[in-house]
């Protein structure tokens, strides 16, 4: 909930422009309606869609993430084997790279991140990835 008079000021637009957004201030994030956002990235003639949850690890800068995904996807295009991804987080690299590999095994420690990775993989129609909770050691 937004502190002070902001709540009253935002009430008329809450269901419109600001629905599902959050505001950041010096003390942290203040939620309006939900604790997640949906981001879309254009990559190799595909439009990838990800749910990003506040407080779980992700690349917060859209442009930086877009360039990282483009670079790693391009560098793995000639891959012919399998992919082992350690600490996959929300699956952003898993989703971007899966089509360049025969099979993918993605690992993560956080149960919340595993659930989100599986959701993002399904959301993008990826069928050659398995996600497991395990440590890399």
């Amino acid at each position: 909930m937004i502190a002070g008079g902001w709540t009253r000021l935002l009430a008329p637009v809450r269901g419109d422009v600001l629905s599902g957004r959050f505001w950041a201030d010096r003390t942290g994030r203040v939620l309006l309606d939900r604790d997640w956002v949906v981001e879309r990235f254009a990559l190799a003639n595909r439009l990838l869609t990800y749910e990003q949850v506040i407080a779980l690890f992700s690349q917060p800068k859209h442009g930086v993430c877009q360039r990282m995904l483009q670079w790693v996807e391009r560098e793995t295009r000639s891959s012919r084997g399998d992919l082992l991804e350690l600490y996959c987080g929300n699956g952003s690299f898993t989703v971007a790279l899966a089509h360049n590999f025969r099979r993918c095994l993605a690992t993560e420690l956080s149960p919340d991140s595993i659930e989100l990775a599986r959701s993002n993989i399904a959301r993008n129609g990826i069928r050659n990835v398995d996600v497991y909770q395990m440590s890399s050691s």
Side-chain angles (χ1 to χ4, degrees), residues 76-84 97-105 126-130:
T76 61
R77 281 184 191 155
S78 62
S79 299
R80 297 290 178 252
D82 298 334
L83 172 68
L84 171 61
L97 297 177
H99 72 281
N100 287 340
F101 294 90
R102 187 180 67 84
R103 299 270 319 158
C104 302
L105 172 62
I126 308 296
R127 291 180 174 67
N128 64 332
V129 175
D130 292 307

Side-chain angles (χ1 to χ4, degrees), residues 40-131:
R40 291 174 180 81
F41 297 96
L43 187 66
N45 298 318
R46 298 177 299 150
L47 183 62
L48 304 178
T49 304
Y50 298 95
E51 182 178 316
Q52 309 278 22
V53 175
I54 296 170
L56 293 181
F57 179 80
S58 67
Q59 171 50 256
K61 296 186 177 189
H62 188 272
V64 171
C65 190
Q66 174 83 44
R67 288 190 297 278
M68 289 169 47
L69 293 174
Q70 287 172 337
W71 180 82
V72 75
E73 190 280 332
R74 186 175 56 247
E75 292 298 314
T76 61
R77 281 184 191 155
S78 62
S79 299
R80 297 290 178 252
D82 298 334
L83 172 68
L84 171 61
E85 182 180 8
L86 304 176
Y87 304 107
C88 67
N90 71 352
S92 59
F93 283 93
T94 313
V95 169
L97 297 177
H99 72 281
N100 287 340
F101 294 90
R102 187 180 67 84
R103 299 270 319 158
C104 302
L105 172 62
T107 69
E108 176 56 60
L109 288 175
S110 163
D112 291 334
S113 292
I114 291 168
E115 182 181 335
L116 187 57
R118 287 177 176 153
S119 173
N120 284 330
I121 290 163
R123 174 187 312 260
N124 287 281
I126 308 296
R127 291 180 174 67
N128 64 332
V129 175
D130 292 307
V131 182

